[in-house]
Amino acid sequence: MDLRRWHYFAVLAEEMHFTKAAARLFVSQPSLSQQIRAFEAELGVALLDRTGPRFALTEAGRVAAEQARELLGHLERARGAVTAAGRGDAGRLRIAYTRSAPGPLAGDLVAAYRERYPGVELALETGWTSLNLARLAAGEIDAGFVRPPVTAPGLEVAVVGSEEVLLALPSAHALARRRGRVRRAWIAAEPVVFWPRENGPGQYDAISGQVWPGGLPPIVREEPEDEQLMRAVAEGAGIAAVPEHRARALRRRGVVLRRLEDPAPRIDLGLAWRAGPVSPVVRAFVDLAVSPRRGPSAPP
């Protein structure tokens, strides 16, 4: 079926005048008449009543005019949706946060993307570095926040921010009563609460190497998440090193946060995605993440 004829008939039904309709369509009047007759032959019904001095729409013609407007409107919307998807302005983007960075570093980036691309549906979830890398490789998410350094074949990683690592001390600890920064020598033999290294080997090594450069003291307790880690510190099990935003978000009674002496330990936040060609929505998110300026809501 020739969609051009539906367009011609829709314009003719609006103008109810062959000359005016032909002018709007940039075709000659005889050509328009020929196309309308061909349209009637294609449908097998008369759309125009030509018995009077001026033509009128038949009942079939009125229905055809209605359907033509609907059809053309749907086509226009479809074209707009396809074009928007091709530009990255529409579609669906699956992103996984990492539990150690729920604050402004990742949250502000996602908020900036949502503001810039309101037509994209975001599916957000939370994992940890090793899980996010595995889900990326399996195609279950499109982009994931991770703690570098990471080495994963088939994936690309860009650093999108960094933050200081703080010490979480039991409030009854002697160091909790001291003011100022904590020296590394003071905690070299303190019992430590940590999470399993397999959750994020890069982050684990980056934290331990900067906080305890002489080697990790005894790990007296492992906890799967920072919430349980902070609880263990509050119970007096040991001290912990926690990224600043996470530590302040989970601050609880019985825990005192302190900064370490210079050079203060810092860890990066990375964004990972599959290497090779990516969809426009993923490319737009990656480009925003790695751009030097992301607007007023960009993370510091």
Side-chain angles (χ1 to χ4, degrees), residues 96-274:
Y97 292 107
T98 178
R99 283 189 300 227
S100 70
L105 291 178
D108 285 1
L109 174 57
V110 172
Y113 179 82
R114 193 192 300 273
E115 182 179 350
R116 189 170 298 188
Y117 300 97
V120 176
E121 177 193 353
L122 293 181
L124 304 172
E125 54 190 84
T126 300
W128 55 90
T129 293
S130 57
L131 176 62
N132 290 352
L133 292 173
R135 297 199 68 195
L136 269 172
E140 296 173 1
I141 57 174
D142 302 307
F145 289 99
V146 296
R147 288 295 192 180
V150 297
T151 54
L155 299 180
E156 294 189 41
V157 180
V159 173
V160 296
S162 69
E163 61 182 311
E164 191 172 343
V165 177
L166 303 183
L167 277 181
L169 305 166
S171 57
H173 197 286
L175 291 176
R177 295 190 290 273
R178 298 182 70 117
R179 296 296 176 187
R181 292 180 178 263
V182 176
R183 295 183 182 178
R184 286 172 173 80
W186 297 345
I187 61 168
E190 289 288 331
V192 173
V193 180
F194 222 146
W195 36 263
R197 185 177 181 275
E198 57 266 24
N199 284 8
Q203 181 187 4
Y204 188 100
D205 294 344
I207 290 176
S208 59
Q210 293 179 78
V211 177
W212 295 282
L216 263 170
I219 296 176
V220 296
R221 188 159 152 185
E222 277 194 345
E223 295 291 349
E225 297 185 8
D226 290 328
E227 291 91 337
Q228 286 80 12
L229 187 148
M230 294 290 277
R231 179 188 292 275
V233 173
E235 292 170 356
I239 67 173
V242 188
E244 181 172 10
H245 292 122
R246 188 66 165 160
R248 297 200 184 282
L250 296 173
R251 194 164 186 172
R252 60 185 298 141
R253 192 179 189 87
V255 176
V256 174
L257 300 177
R258 289 287 184 265
R259 297 185 185 277
L260 271 168
E261 65 182 338
D262 290 331
R266 299 189 69 85
I267 55 169
D268 292 331
L269 178 67
L271 180 70
W273 66 96
R274 284 182 296 281

Side-chain angles (χ1 to χ4, degrees), residues 7-76:
H7 180 213
Y8 284 1
F9 186 75
V11 172
L12 179 63
E14 285 178 14
E15 296 291 346
M16 292 302 289
H17 195 285
F18 269 95
T19 303
K20 292 179 181 178
R24 264 182 67 182
L25 293 165
F26 299 102
V27 298
S28 66
Q29 183 176 332
S31 175
L32 177 59
S33 285
Q34 184 181 18
Q35 289 297 324
I36 296 302
R37 289 191 181 279
F39 189 41
E40 290 176 309
E42 192 174 34
L43 294 173
V45 292
L47 302 176
L48 302 180
D49 180 355
R50 298 176 175 82
T51 57
R54 292 174 60 89
F55 73 85
L57 296 179
T58 63
E59 181 58 29
R62 282 190 289 273
V63 172
E66 236 175 74
Q67 294 298 317
R69 284 191 294 270
E70 259 185 59
L71 175 63
L72 295 170
H74 180 76
L75 285 173
E76 189 60 33

